[in-house]
Amino acid sequence: MLVRDAMSTVVLTIGPTHTLRQAARLMSARRIGAAVVHDPDTFGLGIITERDILDAVGSGLDPDRETASAHTTTDVVFAAPAWTLEEAAEAMTHGGFRHLIVLDGDGAVGIVSVRDIIRCWSPARRRRPAVATG
């Protein structure tokens, strides 16, 4: 199975000046765990995750003052839609992260998470209903 088969095509893109609270609200409303942060003036595409926001708030930082740019991972590993899920899982394991931005050309076309991969690999997903014959 390929990344394109598992990825979510709901890609939330925010700017570097969004506050952590704004990012959290947008992510919560869409029920997603990561957002792409686009800053063409400095780092291009980065990612901020629910864990980044939790770490900042948990350490006492003000979510209304802290901006996404201060908590964005900019050294990002990107996946291609044609990667296998094994390749994506290996990249996540090696890098110690749970989300990969999926690029096709220069644009983000999806995000694949550990949860997406597990869902595809779970026995319930692979089981097919019996077909009545006859």
Side-chain angles (χ1 to χ4, degrees):
M1 187 170 275
L2 303 178
V3 165
R4 75 170 53 93
D5 302 320
M7 70 182 190
S8 169
T9 57
V10 176
V11 179
L12 172 62
T13 302
I14 63 173
T17 60
H18 276 79
T19 66
L20 294 185
R21 185 176 308 280
Q22 290 169 325
R25 280 186 180 143
L26 291 168
M27 291 164 59
S28 179
R30 289 165 179 79
R31 300 179 51 86
I32 56 175
V36 173
V37 181
H38 182 242
D39 187 352
D41 296 331
T42 57
F43 53 78
L45 292 180
I47 190 167
I48 189 166
T49 67
E50 58 196 354
R51 182 167 307 229
D52 297 324
I53 295 169
L54 283 170
D55 287 347
V57 173
S59 66
L61 299 176
D62 184 348
D64 293 313
R65 292 184 184 264
E66 290 294 312
T67 61
S69 65
H71 302 278
T72 297
T73 300
T74 58
D75 185 19
V76 179
V77 174
F78 298 100
W83 276 19
T84 65
L85 293 185
E86 289 82 5
E87 290 172 308
E90 174 63 29
M92 289 176 184
T93 301
H94 181 73
F97 43 80
R98 299 177 307 176
H99 298 85
L100 286 170
I101 299 172
V102 183
L103 290 184
D104 194 8
D106 289 335
V109 295
I111 293 183
V112 65
S113 69
V114 170
R115 182 178 297 171
D116 296 326
I117 293 171
I118 290 170
R119 188 174 15 252
C120 290
W121 285 348
S122 73
R125 168 84 185 229
R126 288 193 309 259
R127 224 176 301 134
R128 299 187 185 271
V131 177
T133 57

